[in-house]
Amino acid sequence: MPFIADDTIEADGQAVWVEVVCVLLCSTVSGVCSAPRCMNSQSGCHVVSLSDLFDRVIQHSSRMHGISNDLHAEFEHYFLPSKNQISRVGRYCHTSSILTPNGKENTQRMAEQELMEVILKLLLAWRDPLWHFHQSIAHHHDFFNFSSNKALEMSDMVHELRKGVEKVAEKMQMSGIISNSVSSRASPEASPPADSPEWRLMKVYDLLHCFRRDSNKVQNYLKILKCRIVPQHGC
Amino acid sequence: MMKSAVRVSLLLLLVFALHAKGMRYSPPGKPTLTRCRSPEKETFTCWWEPGFDGGLPTTYALFYRKENSETVYECPDYRTAGENSCFFNKNDTSIWVNYNITVVASNALGSTFSDPVDIDVVYIVKPNHPETVTVTVMEDKGWPFLRVSWEPPHKADTRSGWITLIYELRVKLEGENDWEMHLAGQQKIFNIFSLRSGGTYLVQVRCKPDHGYWSEWSTTSYIKVPDYFHHEKPMWVLITCFCAFIFLILTWLLHMNSQSLKHFILPPIPGPKIKGFDKQLLKNGKSDDIFSALVVPNFPPIAPSNCEDLLVEYLEVYIPEEQELMLEESKDLNDVCLKSEGCTSDSDSGRGSCDSHTLLMDKFREAKGEKKPRDQESNRTRTKNQRKGWGEEGSSCVHDDIPIISGGRVKTWPCVFSPLPQYSSSTLEHKSSLERAKQHCLSYSAGPPGSTSSCLDQQGQHCKETLRPGNWEFSLSNKQPHLPHSQTWWQLQAHSDLNISSIGCTRALAGLQLPALESTEYVEVQRVNEENMVLLQPVDSEQGHFEDCSQIPLGEDYSRVKGVDRDNRLLLQREVTREDRCLREDRDMYGESCHTSSVTQKPTACIHIARPEQDDMVLAVTGYVDTSTASTLPCY
């Protein structure tokens, strides 16, 4: 399934996230920035609206999903040439414990806050595995001969996306949409990589498979949220 | 599961039973799941292809298993989607869940399982085509364009953001094969420009979720573009007319200049440019005739037998225009004439002593060359009169047609005076006269007053003598200031019947009548009165005083001109007495001495001896006339 992963979008997204990260750092590190100068929408200062934030976050998640899709397709092409997908009963995604809505009605039934929490959980859950994945790719590139910079990019993106979503949640909280602050805790499901190559291979395949799905979930949830909260354009 | 197993076993029994009966039946062939599609990511449908049914009625069942669950579910709906399909409604559909689907074909003899297929609904989304595609013609500053708008398929919930669709449309002209694709993104409106006037367009739209399959093309929308203002046609007509016009002009120009163009491109071969060369003869190819024309007759010039003819000088008459030039030339002439004084006398007859004449000519030429005479002068009549031989009696005084008087001066006289046979008073005189007659007045350079002019004689011996006594001055001396010099001079010129040649002749005659001293006397022209009479005054060489009164030298040879009668005849006195007589002329003397040239058109005057006693002195020419000549002057 093609996913448009544009370089310009990536660059744009990165620039956006640099700004977002800066703002976040500023807000967390020093008390001076506790009240950002642009909060009061003073003149000469550009206030990022919620819809813009949502747009940027959605763009980012879309890019992330595109990369994961590419990686998965590459893996399937190189390692599993048979068209039929391997039906593994034992396939297990470590994020399966996270309850996520599996349908439109279920998703729409969820509150924004819950949804935001789910998103953040997902993103947090994937931070470490992806990092490990990237490490294993980089160290064993003789074994995994597909591009490692995509894996790196993926891992970075997850991290940035999480930060962005947290920012959105914060903004939503400030806007009064959600009452309580969204907490994100690290899930303890990160399992260390095994030794055997086949196991590693399966793990990689599962990892890619699972991440592709979860990135899609994140994107979809964000879109639902956006069209629920700021439905002006694009919905 | 149990029910299905029981069913399968029953079927097998049936098959065996039938087989036992001897009939050929087999269990069904293996079905295959062809595809599963979800139109809106909420429901989905799977279709399968049945295999060989085995000759027995076969039933098909679809079983599926969800991810991480061992529960096998059967297809809830076999009918909604049609034959050999299974429709999963919203309740049965879970997104982001792997489905493991299997189709089982079973007949009495057995059942066959198909290969399982794993699907995730997210990735099998193929929406319906966009709906309500509307195409309208809109106008933008006179140019039309198409505006296409559509709606997403009604099932796809894009409003909630559950599904995101991107659109694509295609356009083509009616009758063409190639479509023009346009990707519209997520927008639902699109403009198409650059339309052909009056054409009919076909428009179709389709959509696709961000990760999914393209939908089918929507139903074709037809739209006809109206005939908008024909900007193009009149312009093309104008351009065509303009080009045709230019082309016509060029053709005409080419035709007009075809000859010159032909010459430019293919220059003609130059023909021979030889005088007397006949091209036609060349073409004809007769070489003899050709070159005969080139042959100059009488070349090389054969030396004349008569040496005297060789010595016949060619008189060149220059008629310059510029007065200054004439003055200068006259000066040169004077110089030349003066130079000739030093010429040694040569008694050879028929030969100019010291080639005075030729010398003069050469000098003159040099002078002219130095002065860089103008072309006009060079083109002037440089007539050459071949002098006739001296031997001829009564050789005429040939002078040029054009009097050399021009520019107020007389340059040279082409007049060649030859003694007339009638001039025979005495042998000596005759001889002298002959000799003197041989002299020809080469130049009468009569310039403005004050300028001395001299006449060169043919013979050097007379040079000195002639110079001394005096000169014929046709111009007024400066003693007569009351008359305008040039005017009278021009008057003199104008009346060219007063042929200076005649005067020269007269002078020659005068010279002829000289005694053995062989000195010629020159009569000075005093003035020319209003009646166009030349008033001459005797010039006394001894005195050198040119007054009105002239001194008549002693000498029997001289006859004093008494007067000129009405008939233009010179009246001479036989007796030469020294008289202080002022000779005045009242009348113009047509002193055409003896002969005229053909050119002179005025009646020439005869000079013949008149009665000596006539006191009526109307002399046009004062002076002394040689009696010998005077007596023998014929009248013409």
Side-chain angles (χ1 to χ4, degrees):
Chain A
M1 285 146 218
F3 183 78
I4 301 163
D6 210 2
D7 285 331
T8 56
I9 295 173
E10 180 187 344
D12 194 13
Q14 296 227 0
V16 163
W17 285 118
V18 165
E19 182 187 325
V20 168
V21 163
C22 282
V23 170
L24 285 169
L25 282 169
C26 200
S27 62
T28 52
V29 167
S30 62
V32 178
C33 297
S34 61
R37 48 200 167 132
C38 292
M39 284 307 291
N40 301 329
S41 57
Q42 293 165 0
S43 62
C45 191
H46 178 62
V47 180
V48 180
S49 65
L50 196 59
S51 67
D52 289 340
L53 269 174
F54 262 114
D55 284 337
R56 293 179 191 184
V57 163
I58 287 165
Q59 258 183 12
H60 205 82
S61 66
S62 164
R63 172 123 183 95
M64 192 176 70
H65 177 71
I67 295 170
S68 66
N69 205 18
D70 293 340
L71 271 174
H72 182 263
E74 271 183 52
F75 191 86
E76 266 193 342
H77 178 73
Y78 286 113
F79 294 98
L80 302 164
S82 63
K83 284 202 175 177
N84 286 335
Q85 293 180 6
I86 294 169
S87 172
R88 282 174 12 97
V89 182
R91 184 183 291 166
Y92 180 74
C93 286
H94 69 282
T95 54
S96 302
S97 60
I98 302 170
L99 289 171
T100 58
N102 291 331
K104 188 179 89 174
E105 289 80 11
N106 296 341
T107 312
Q108 282 177 333
R109 236 177 270 136
M110 281 186 86
E112 294 90 349
Q113 186 168 357
E114 288 176 45
L115 209 50
M116 284 300 283
E117 283 181 359
V118 165
I119 290 168
L120 285 167
K121 273 182 192 173
L122 281 170
L123 288 170
L124 192 63
W126 278 104
R127 184 189 62 180
D128 293 331
L130 280 177
W131 189 83
H132 285 298
F133 169 68
H134 165 67
Q135 292 296 313
S136 58
I137 292 282
H139 287 352
H140 306 283
H141 50 264
D142 54 340
F143 186 67
F144 305 107
N145 57 351
F146 49 72
S147 56
S148 67
N149 42 340
K150 271 187 185 170
L152 177 63
E153 195 178 354
M154 212 158 61
S155 129
D156 292 338
M157 273 184 162
V158 161
H159 181 75
E160 288 167 11
L161 186 62
R162 187 169 67 84
K163 295 294 181 190
V165 172
E166 281 173 358
K167 186 65 186 161
V168 171
E170 196 179 305
K171 190 137 178 108
M172 281 166 66
Q173 189 185 2
M174 277 189 280
S175 307
I177 301 165
I178 51 179
S179 55
N180 300 328
S181 66
V182 178
S183 64
S184 58
R185 291 182 298 272
S187 66
E189 278 91 17
S191 59
D195 291 334
S196 66
E198 291 83 11
W199 185 83
R200 210 179 290 151
L201 203 65
M202 283 298 121
K203 277 290 181 189
V204 167
Y205 182 69
D206 287 344
L207 185 142
L208 288 173
H209 179 86
C210 294
F211 182 66
R212 185 172 77 141
R213 179 191 290 174
D214 287 342
S215 60
N216 199 350
K217 276 183 185 176
V218 165
Q219 184 186 8
N220 225 144
Y221 296 152
L222 285 168
K223 281 179 183 177
I224 296 272
L225 274 173
K226 185 212 173 219
C227 287
R228 192 192 296 182
I229 297 167
V230 281
Q232 290 86 354
H233 33 76
C235 287
Chain B
M1 194 66 177
M2 286 302 293
K3 286 182 181 176
S4 63
V6 165
R7 218 179 285 157
V8 165
S9 58
L10 279 172
L11 281 168
L12 281 165
L13 279 169
L14 257 172
V15 165
F16 281 125
L18 287 167
H19 189 69
K21 285 185 181 177
M23 294 195 68
R24 283 280 192 175
Y25 294 111
S26 62
K30 191 176 178 182
T32 51
L33 275 165
T34 53
R35 62 190 178 105
C36 296
R37 291 289 180 263
S38 167
E40 73 284 87
K41 210 159 75 171
E42 295 170 36
T43 64
F44 73 101
T45 312
C46 284
W47 289 270
W48 69 82
E49 186 70 28
F52 175 61
D53 62 348
L56 295 167
T58 315
T59 57
Y60 297 91
L62 187 141
F63 301 99
Y64 65 92
R65 214 162 44 82
K66 280 192 179 182
E67 180 182 335
N68 300 328
S69 167
E70 295 298 326
T71 315
V72 178
Y73 300 95
E74 195 177 346
C75 173
D77 190 343
Y78 286 101
R79 289 197 208 95
T80 310
E83 192 77 22
N84 299 324
S85 68
C86 178
F87 175 74
F88 294 83
N89 59 8
K90 284 185 187 180
N91 297 330
D92 298 325
T93 308
S94 301
I95 315 298
W96 299 298
V97 169
N98 259 7
Y99 279 79
N100 193 310
I101 298 169
T102 315
V103 173
V104 174
S106 52
N107 60 6
L109 292 175
S111 60
T112 317
F113 287 85
S114 66
D115 291 330
V117 167
D118 276 335
I119 57 158
D120 195 339
V121 179
V122 177
Y123 302 112
I124 58 162
V125 179
K126 183 184 174 182
N128 295 328
H129 59 79
E131 295 165 1
T132 62
V133 178
T134 57
V135 186
T136 52
V137 180
M138 304 190 76
E139 207 169 283
D140 173 40
K141 294 171 191 171
W143 298 96
F145 65 94
L146 290 177
R147 170 157 287 183
V148 189
S149 64
W150 57 88
E151 291 295 320
H154 65 275
K155 282 187 184 175
D157 187 6
T158 53
R159 195 171 290 277
S160 65
W162 177 244
I163 190 165
T164 309
L165 294 172
I166 57 172
Y167 302 95
E168 188 184 53
L169 52 80
R170 65 180 186 181
V171 183
K172 80 166 181 177
L173 264 173
E174 192 176 26
E176 286 191 9
N177 295 328
D178 296 330
W179 289 90
E180 189 181 322
M181 310 296 282
H182 297 280
L183 192 68
Q186 291 183 21
Q187 62 197 31
K188 300 182 188 65
I189 296 169
F190 197 79
N191 297 327
I192 297 170
F193 299 94
S194 303
L195 302 172
R196 191 180 298 180
S197 164
T200 303
Y201 284 91
L202 285 72
V203 182
Q204 286 181 332
V205 191
R206 68 175 183 180
C207 57
K208 177 179 96 81
D210 43 3
H211 310 285
Y213 299 94
W214 280 105
S215 70
E216 297 295 328
W217 288 105
S218 65
T219 55
T220 309
S221 301
Y222 293 89
I223 185 76
K224 187 177 186 308
V225 180
D227 296 329
Y228 53 90
F229 179 64
H230 297 282
H231 294 289
E232 301 165 350
K233 253 190 191 171
M235 188 178 70
W236 284 113
V237 168
L238 262 170
I239 287 172
T240 312
C241 285
F242 186 69
C243 286
F245 184 64
I246 298 279
F247 180 71
L248 277 170
I249 286 177
L250 282 171
T251 312
W252 180 75
L253 276 171
L254 206 70
H255 180 259
M256 296 300 289
N257 295 336
S258 61
Q259 279 300 316
S260 59
L261 267 174
K262 231 192 272 179
H263 280 277
F264 181 73
I265 294 166
L266 303 165
I269 302 163
K273 290 177 185 172
I274 305 166
K275 267 189 186 174
F277 196 85
D278 195 355
K279 274 193 236 179
Q280 290 300 321
L281 284 175
L282 178 70
K283 284 177 187 171
N284 292 339
K286 294 175 187 173
S287 60
D288 294 336
D289 296 333
I290 299 164
F291 295 112
S292 65
L294 294 174
V295 175
V296 177
N298 306 324
F299 187 81
I302 305 160
S305 56
N306 190 4
C307 294
E308 270 197 0
D309 292 338
L310 270 179
L311 298 174
V312 172
E313 291 84 0
Y314 291 84
L315 298 175
E316 292 184 333
V317 178
Y318 297 94
I319 308 174
E321 282 189 330
E322 300 298 320
Q323 201 166 5
E324 298 81 17
L325 200 59
M326 284 194 69
L327 282 170
E328 289 167 351
E329 284 166 346
S330 72
K331 282 175 192 168
D332 289 337
L333 285 168
N334 293 335
D335 297 335
V336 172
C337 288
L338 288 168
K339 275 178 191 175
S340 63
E341 290 180 16
C343 297
T344 56
S345 61
D346 193 356
S347 59
D348 284 347
S349 68
R351 183 165 173 221
S353 58
C354 61
D355 292 336
S356 57
H357 174 69
T358 52
L359 184 66
L360 172 69
M361 287 301 116
D362 292 337
K363 291 290 180 185
F364 190 70
R365 281 195 214 97
E366 283 174 3
K368 278 193 79 82
E370 287 168 9
K371 294 290 185 309
K372 289 185 182 175
R374 296 183 186 184
D375 293 339
Q376 291 173 337
E377 288 185 355
S378 61
N379 292 336
R380 276 291 192 171
T381 55
R382 282 185 69 160
T383 56
K384 293 186 179 181
N385 291 324
Q386 186 173 3
R387 233 184 68 186
K388 293 179 184 175
W390 283 109
E392 285 184 354
E393 299 245 346
S395 58
S396 59
C397 173
V398 181
H399 70 96
D400 196 14
D401 321 342
I402 304 164
I404 310 165
I405 316 165
S406 64
R409 293 198 59 183
V410 175
K411 294 297 296 268
T412 53
W413 295 105
C415 168
V416 174
F417 298 97
S418 58
L420 296 171
Q422 294 84 357
Y423 306 155
S424 57
S425 58
S426 63
T427 52
L428 186 63
E429 290 175 353
H430 185 64
K431 199 202 278 187
S432 65
S433 68
L434 279 172
E435 288 171 353
R436 282 193 289 273
K438 282 179 189 176
Q439 75 187 1
H440 58 277
C441 211
L442 290 176
S443 69
Y444 275 102
S445 60
S451 66
T452 58
S453 55
S454 61
C455 178
L456 274 180
D457 292 335
Q458 175 66 19
Q459 296 164 1
Q461 59 191 351
H462 294 287
C463 281
K464 298 177 198 176
E465 290 159 358
T466 54
L467 282 170
R468 258 188 284 113
N471 305 320
W472 283 102
E473 285 192 9
F474 292 106
S475 67
L476 292 173
S477 62
N478 43 13
K479 283 92 182 174
Q480 301 280 342
H482 61 275
L483 282 175
H485 311 262
S486 55
Q487 181 184 357
T488 48
W489 177 247
W490 284 115
Q491 283 177 349
L492 190 71
Q493 178 191 2
H495 300 273
S496 62
D497 39 341
L498 174 63
N499 201 325
I500 299 174
S501 60
S502 62
I503 293 172
C505 279
T506 324
R507 187 182 63 124
L509 289 168
L512 284 169
Q513 287 184 355
L514 282 172
L517 289 173
E518 297 177 351
S519 63
T520 55
E521 294 291 335
Y522 293 91
V523 181
E524 181 182 353
V525 175
Q526 194 176 10
R527 62 181 173 92
V528 178
N529 61 358
E530 294 83 5
E531 293 175 27
N532 299 326
M533 290 192 293
V534 176
L535 307 177
L536 302 171
Q537 65 181 23
V539 177
D540 192 5
S541 62
E542 296 170 11
Q543 291 184 6
H545 188 244
F546 304 102
E547 284 295 334
D548 298 321
C549 299
S550 61
Q551 301 291 332
I552 303 165
L554 294 169
E556 290 182 353
D557 291 342
Y558 291 95
S559 304
R560 195 172 166 197
V561 176
K562 206 176 180 183
V564 179
D565 66 351
R566 290 281 172 188
D567 294 331
N568 298 330
R569 289 181 293 182
L570 202 63
L571 308 174
L572 300 173
Q573 280 180 328
R574 284 215 176 261
E575 295 183 63
V576 181
T577 54
R578 195 176 184 93
E579 289 181 8
D580 293 326
R581 293 190 67 177
C582 298
L583 302 173
R584 299 204 183 269
E585 301 82 19
D586 296 328
R587 236 184 303 174
D588 198 1
M589 184 197 93
Y590 292 87
E592 189 97 342
S593 64
C594 344
H595 39 267
T596 66
S597 67
S598 57
V599 179
T600 320
Q601 293 163 6
K602 300 253 174 115
T604 59
C606 265
I607 303 173
H608 49 255
I609 301 162
R611 295 186 306 274
E613 299 301 316
Q614 277 195 349
D615 289 332
D616 207 13
M617 302 295 289
V618 183
L619 287 175
V621 178
T622 60
Y624 305 89
V625 181
D626 197 353
T627 50
S628 60
T629 55
S631 61
T632 56
L633 271 176
C635 271
Y636 293 124

